[in-house]
Amino acid sequence: MNDPSLIDRLAAGDQRAFADFYDHYWQPIYNKVYRKVQQVEAAEDIVHDLFLSIWKNRSRIHEVLNMSAYLMSGARYLTFKYLDKEKDQYVAIDHIEQVLQEPPLEDRLHYRYILDLIHEEIENLPEKCKLIFKESRYNHKTIDEIAMEYGLSRSTVENQINKAIKRIRLKTNGFYAFLSFYL
């Protein structure tokens, strides 16, 4: 669906435009989510949450360059979040592609581009900030473990992690819904 006037009306808060938008996109998203969760109610909840997020953030909808890819990425994120909650386990970013079925080429390229942005920004962080962030996210260490290991205060470690997250969010501004699980 490439209807700029529909997007304009949706951004302006037109409920009819949102209904048309929903009608156009919900079925393929629902089908994809259902294949992952295999539960009708859970799939419906995930799709509902995705479209609720679109409605709440409608003023920023013009930032989306590829609506289908954006919605599918958001659906994958919410599905991952649901599965993670259900299994009560932590899955590292490096294993996400193994947990989810192989996405289409366009989605894989979109995903790879976003990961490249993240990794580039992580490498551009100040050395101390980068080290602390990597210990937290890649080595899954707690704030207290990092503070003890490097002789830092808990608040210093928290501040460095928050600083890294803010910089990554700025770098990946248009992809936040997809990346929230990482940050």
Side-chain angles (χ1 to χ4, degrees):
M1 170 179 267
N2 231 0
D3 184 355
S5 68
L6 178 68
I7 299 300
D8 289 341
R9 291 182 5 245
L10 174 58
D14 182 333
Q15 292 180 358
R16 182 67 216 151
F18 179 73
D20 292 344
F21 179 84
Y22 179 90
D23 289 343
H24 180 76
Y25 286 108
W26 85 269
Q27 188 68 55
I29 293 170
Y30 172 83
N31 292 342
K32 186 165 188 113
V33 171
Y34 179 78
R35 282 193 306 268
K36 305 284 189 227
V37 299
Q38 296 292 309
Q39 295 176 16
V40 171
E41 189 175 308
E44 288 173 349
D45 288 346
I46 290 168
V47 173
H48 172 79
D49 289 348
L50 176 66
F51 281 97
L52 180 61
S53 175
I54 294 294
W55 179 252
K56 286 180 178 178
N57 296 296
R58 64 189 175 273
S59 64
R60 295 181 50 196
I61 200 161
H62 290 292
E63 297 173 13
V64 177
L65 301 176
N66 183 332
M67 189 58 68
S68 289
Y70 181 79
L71 290 171
M72 288 299 181
S73 294
R76 266 195 315 280
Y77 161 68
L78 291 173
T79 301
F80 171 77
K81 187 176 171 184
Y82 169 80
L83 293 172
D84 187 49
K85 184 178 176 186
E86 285 296 302
K87 293 179 182 177
D88 196 34
Q89 65 183 15
Y90 182 84
V91 178
I93 188 72
D94 298 325
H95 297 89
I96 288 175
E97 287 178 318
Q98 295 171 4
V99 173
L100 301 176
Q101 287 182 347
E102 190 71 19
L105 177 61
E106 180 181 354
D107 290 349
R108 286 195 319 260
L109 293 173
H110 185 70
Y111 174 76
R112 174 57 37 210
Y113 173 73
I114 295 168
L115 281 180
D116 288 346
L117 284 176
I118 291 171
H119 292 300
E120 178 184 321
E121 190 59 29
I122 290 170
E123 291 307 313
N124 290 331
L125 290 169
E127 204 57 42
K128 181 178 175 182
C129 185
K130 177 173 43 173
L131 175 69
I132 291 171
F133 184 79
K134 284 182 172 182
E135 289 287 348
S136 168
R137 294 310 192 259
Y138 295 150
N139 298 332
H140 313 295
K141 291 185 179 177
T142 66
I143 291 172
D144 291 329
E145 290 172 332
I146 297 168
M148 185 179 298
E149 183 174 332
Y150 293 98
L152 302 169
S153 72
R154 185 175 183 8
S155 64
T156 298
V157 173
E158 287 174 341
N159 289 340
Q160 291 298 313
I161 292 171
N162 287 333
K163 179 179 176 180
I165 290 170
K166 285 178 186 174
R167 284 193 50 180
I168 292 168
R169 281 184 180 157
L170 284 174
K171 182 75 170 185
T172 59
N173 188 22
F175 307 106
Y176 181 71
F178 178 70
L179 298 175
S180 295
F181 69 90
Y182 186 67
L183 302 174

